[in-house]
Amino acid sequence: MPMGTVLSQPSLTEWDGPSQSTGEHYRNLAFEGAFVNIIRGWLQSGMKETPEEMAVLRADVLSIRDRGISR
């Protein structure tokens, strides 16, 4: 995929519509990156935790509230 195409793609969290502001766009990208890295780390460590444990951990680590970061 050409570089311009990659850069023009929305964040995965923006598929339902564009961000309302530049700040929101970058918060979405940060959230997305954190989520992907949590999953990648879990896979690389052999998935020792259950999916249910990971869901609780993910919610705690990311402090998810209404698609944003509450802290």
Side-chain angles (χ1 to χ4, degrees):
M1 190 179 292
M3 182 60 95
T5 305
V6 171
L7 295 177
S8 66
Q9 297 302 309
S11 162
L12 292 174
T13 60
E14 297 173 337
W15 285 66
D16 60 343
S19 296
Q20 298 298 311
S21 69
T22 301
E24 182 183 11
H25 171 72
Y26 286 106
R27 277 189 298 278
N28 286 339
L29 291 175
F31 171 79
E32 184 178 310
F35 183 76
V36 167
N37 279 306
I38 288 170
I39 300 240
R40 185 173 59 178
W42 180 55
L43 293 171
Q44 288 174 338
S45 69
M47 299 185 305
K48 295 175 182 121
E49 299 81 8
T50 66
E52 292 79 11
E53 291 171 321
M54 289 305 298
V56 170
L57 178 64
R58 174 201 43 93
D60 183 52
V61 168
L62 298 178
S63 298
I64 299 168
R65 300 287 185 273
D66 299 323
R67 285 188 45 183
I69 299 173
S70 65
R71 292 182 195 175

